[in-house]
Amino acid sequence: MTPDSKFALNATRRAADLTALGDRPEVDVLVIGGGVTGAGVALDAAARGLRTLLVERTDFAFGTSRWSSKLVHGGLRYLASGRVGIAHESAVERGIMLRTTAPHLVRPLPQLVPLLPGIKTAQSSLIRAGFAAGDALRIAARTSAGTLPRSRRVAAAEALRLAPTVRREGLRGGLQAWDGQLVDDARLVVALARTAAAEGATVLTRMEAVAATGDSVQLRDTRTGEALTVRARAVINATGVWAGEVDHSIELRPSRGTHLVFDAAAFGGLSAALTVPVPGSISRFVFALPAAHGRVYLGLTDEDAPGPIPDEPQPTEAEIDFLLDTINTALREPLTRADIRGRFAGLRPLLKTADDSTADISREHAVLTSPDGLITVVGGKLTTYRQMAQDAVDAAVAHAALPASNCRTTRLPLVGAVAGAARDRIDAPPVLIERYGSEAGQIVSAWLADPALREPVAPGIDVTAAEFDFAISHEGALTVDDLLDRRSRIGLVPSDRAAATPAAEAAFARAVVGS
């Protein structure tokens, strides 16, 4: 296997891996769930030298991991409630992602709170104190000010440069802090899965776990219907809000976080996270974030979402009104529903306790072991996925006495990771480097070999045909939906999705001809 091919996930490798698994259906660690946590667990386990299998019912990042705010938080919000431990953990994990894990996918993002008449002196002082605490967290986590600058107050002119559509009347300037932002949460998950595969893990999407215990899992290939039982020394359930469907002893009550999608033009070239306090609250905010493909995401809600878990949660009309009403308190020209290009919602896991209350572990994760030995990791957040994975694998190693080396993921870069001078030397457009890092040159090489592959997949969309081809040959895309909804985020805007579907179908046709 060549250095490049060991990172490649595709239909050919999937078939070969399935054959090998059928010949030897025993592993050290079997991970159920291909979101950020499950992919992180698989990478951690494989990097420790354990024979690892990751199975996912649909596609990488199919669930909550593609519906996040794409932020890598430093944990500031947890200080307000006295949760110093989780705040410090978040800041440490943010630094690892920025410096080592995925510097090509995570970038510093300024956060701006405009000081408008609705924010009184006492509230602005509280926000400023919170930002100062965030600076202390950054220092404690050993993240340099060169990576994330210290917070400061900015003049009105600077606030308007960062957020051009903010109200001018009564604007007293703004408070600015810095945090991390992911180019794309789903791309992070794919990079984790590919790196796990390069470390020796078997990674299989479209493979459903029909039943699981602490030492075996019944699997069904959803593409062919074929069944397979795999024995494992440890089984880890990393299925997020679906965790209770794998381990019936766990009861979850999810909450829903909703985002709206706008054209960047609606915010006039926003270059910071525009952060607006919710009227009547001193601790709740909504924010508008510059995003990939010339978009802005507006979020976030936190609503109880009982009942069956949908594959694709839907925002409610009340949530849409709440987001619009809150952001409009800060804008010169109010946004309306006509400005909305798309919308998405994700579910956070809340663990139901014995007294029927809810313990919010959507940020403080838990590793639980059932009586039959099935290990479940639940809660947490995208920023702390690596620590969650480490804790889950530590539990598996201890439970099954696995012969594993120490955790390596604090110093293990993901495929494509590049920064500094090495990044500057890559001969590729910046937008490709942000998506592919050191692999951006492979997209450019495809353009040079066939200029038709440089054409956008639809008018006005900054994704080229070569990127669809790369997603099929290297990133495990098996369906048109994988291309449109997770390897790119074109599908967030329905009209763009319709326009790009023919190009996605053509990419699979090329793959068949070339195979």
Side-chain angles (χ1 to χ4, degrees):
M1 183 177 289
T2 65
D4 173 65
S5 64
K6 73 177 183 177
F7 289 102
L9 295 176
N10 49 50
T12 300
R13 180 167 182 174
R14 181 181 186 274
D17 285 346
L18 268 173
T19 298
L21 185 64
D23 292 339
R24 186 186 168 197
E26 303 92 20
V27 298
D28 293 323
V29 176
L30 194 156
V31 186
I32 306 170
V36 69
T37 305
V41 170
L43 174 57
D44 189 302
R48 298 194 201 197
L50 298 171
R51 186 173 189 231
T52 302
L53 169 64
L54 169 67
V55 295
E56 160 58 44
R57 180 180 59 183
T58 47
D59 183 32
F60 304 123
F62 182 82
T64 304
S65 293
R66 64 170 157 150
W67 304 129
S68 79
S69 298
K70 286 74 177 161
L71 290 176
V72 181
H73 284 297
L76 176 60
R77 60 177 289 189
Y78 313 118
L79 288 181
S81 56
R83 297 154 76 183
V84 178
I86 185 65
H88 177 69
E89 179 180 270
S90 297
V92 168
E93 293 301 320
R94 177 185 63 186
I96 293 171
M97 291 181 72
L98 280 163
R99 292 189 303 269
T100 303
T101 307
H104 61 308
L105 293 177
V106 186
R107 60 191 175 195
L109 177 72
Q111 175 184 352
L112 174 72
V113 180
L115 296 176
L116 291 161
I119 300 180
K120 305 304 181 186
T121 301
Q123 186 175 12
S124 67
S125 297
L126 283 173
I127 296 170
R128 185 70 183 268
F131 283 176
D135 290 336
L137 274 177
R138 173 186 57 76
I139 293 169
R142 300 184 178 180
T143 301
S144 72
T147 300
L148 291 177
R150 66 184 299 273
S151 63
R152 65 191 180 109
R153 180 164 180 164
V154 299
E158 176 69 0
L160 289 169
R161 184 188 69 80
L162 293 168
T165 57
V166 163
R167 294 177 186 267
R168 297 172 183 265
E169 185 177 355
L171 180 64
R172 310 190 305 277
L175 299 177
Q176 184 189 64
W178 290 77
D179 221 330
Q181 182 184 30
L182 273 168
V183 172
D184 189 330
D185 46 6
R187 294 201 65 77
L188 173 68
V189 178
V190 171
L192 283 164
R194 293 179 62 204
T195 309
E199 291 289 331
T202 299
V203 178
L204 299 173
T205 59
R206 268 71 187 189
M207 184 63 68
E208 180 182 10
V210 178
T213 66
D215 61 8
S216 69
V217 179
Q218 297 176 32
L219 300 174
R220 184 179 70 88
D221 185 342
T222 64
R223 305 192 91 195
T224 65
E226 293 184 10
L228 173 67
T229 297
V230 176
R231 298 198 61 81
R233 297 176 68 179
V235 177
I236 299 177
N237 171 21
T239 54
V241 290
W242 290 278
E245 297 179 8
V246 178
D247 182 350
H248 299 295
S249 68
I250 295 173
E251 292 187 78
L252 295 174
R253 181 185 293 174
S255 72
R256 185 176 53 253
T258 285
H259 294 81
L260 305 179
V261 183
F262 296 85
D263 284 333
F267 285 85
L270 183 69
S271 57
L274 174 58
T275 306
V276 178
V278 174
S281 172
I282 62 171
S283 60
R284 292 187 66 200
F285 300 84
V286 303
F287 42 79
L289 302 162
H293 309 310
R295 306 296 182 209
V296 168
Y297 300 152
L298 173 63
L300 181 68
T301 64
D302 188 359
E303 299 293 333
D304 192 34
I309 306 299
D311 282 348
E312 296 195 6
Q314 296 300 316
T316 65
E317 297 303 309
E319 288 175 304
I320 294 170
D321 288 340
F322 165 77
L323 291 173
L324 288 174
D325 290 346
T326 303
I327 198 67
N328 282 338
T329 64
L331 302 181
R332 286 197 305 277
E333 296 292 334
L335 296 169
T336 70
R337 286 173 176 260
D339 296 305
I340 300 172
R341 297 294 308 280
R343 59 196 71 182
F344 62 92
L347 298 178
R348 311 177 186 92
L350 300 175
L351 187 65
K352 190 174 182 181
T353 59
D355 61 359
D356 203 34
S357 65
T358 56
D360 183 354
I361 57 167
S362 64
R363 298 302 178 259
E364 293 189 50
H365 64 273
V367 178
L368 311 171
T369 303
S370 69
D372 70 3
L374 177 64
I375 296 168
T376 296
V377 54
V378 286
K381 59 177 185 170
L382 186 147
T383 305
T384 58
Y385 84 87
R386 193 211 60 80
Q387 185 64 58
M388 294 170 63
Q390 179 179 342
D391 291 348
V393 177
D394 283 347
V397 168
H399 175 77
L402 297 174
S405 59
N406 293 329
C407 176
R408 293 173 45 213
T409 54
T410 58
R411 58 189 187 278
L412 181 60
L414 300 186
V415 59
V418 67
R423 178 182 179 129
D424 295 339
R425 289 193 294 270
I426 298 174
D427 187 12
V431 67
L432 289 185
I433 299 172
E434 288 179 353
R435 293 175 191 163
Y436 303 96
S438 61
E439 295 186 309
Q442 296 189 47
I443 306 298
V444 174
S445 295
W447 290 352
L448 296 175
D450 183 354
L453 296 179
R454 190 166 189 162
E455 293 299 313
V457 296
I461 294 177
D462 64 349
V463 176
T464 64
E467 293 175 73
F468 277 1
D469 286 0
F470 187 80
I472 295 169
S473 63
H474 284 71
E475 296 179 337
L478 298 176
T479 71
V480 165
D481 289 349
D482 294 350
L483 293 179
L484 298 176
D485 298 332
R486 290 168 290 277
R487 303 309 178 277
S488 72
R489 307 320 288 273
I490 293 171
L492 288 177
V493 176
S495 59
D496 288 350
R497 193 181 202 287
T501 294
E505 293 169 343
F508 279 104
R510 286 194 298 274
V512 170
V513 171
S515 62

